[in-house]
Amino acid sequence: MKSDIRVCAAWKSEHDRPVYTLGDTCPECGHEAVNSAPAPFSPEDSYGEYRRSLKRRRRE
């Protein structure tokens, strides 16, 4: 399920903070706004093994 909240796609280069909106474009700079929700969880995640091992290394 996608979120209705969007964030400016160019916020890192155009703004000093993320700019959120409900529209298709950024209200401050006019760039495209993209979905701000994280990717959904998938048990068949091909990179899950690497992410979990990285978490284990950071905990040590």
Side-chain angles (χ1 to χ4, degrees):
M1 180 171 145
K2 288 190 173 184
S3 173
D4 290 337
I5 301 171
R6 297 171 168 256
V7 65
C8 177
W11 77 266
K12 290 182 181 177
S13 62
E14 298 291 324
H15 311 287
D16 58 346
R17 59 174 176 71
V19 177
Y20 295 96
T21 183
L22 295 175
D24 292 332
T25 58
C26 176
E28 294 184 15
C29 68
H31 278 89
E32 179 186 11
V34 294
N35 187 6
S36 65
F41 172 76
S42 171
E44 294 88 24
D45 184 8
S46 58
Y47 295 103
E49 175 186 344
Y50 302 110
R51 232 184 341 274
R52 287 186 292 274
S53 67
L54 183 61
K55 281 185 180 180
R56 274 186 242 129
R57 276 190 245 146
R58 287 182 181 166
R59 278 188 238 155
E60 294 175 353

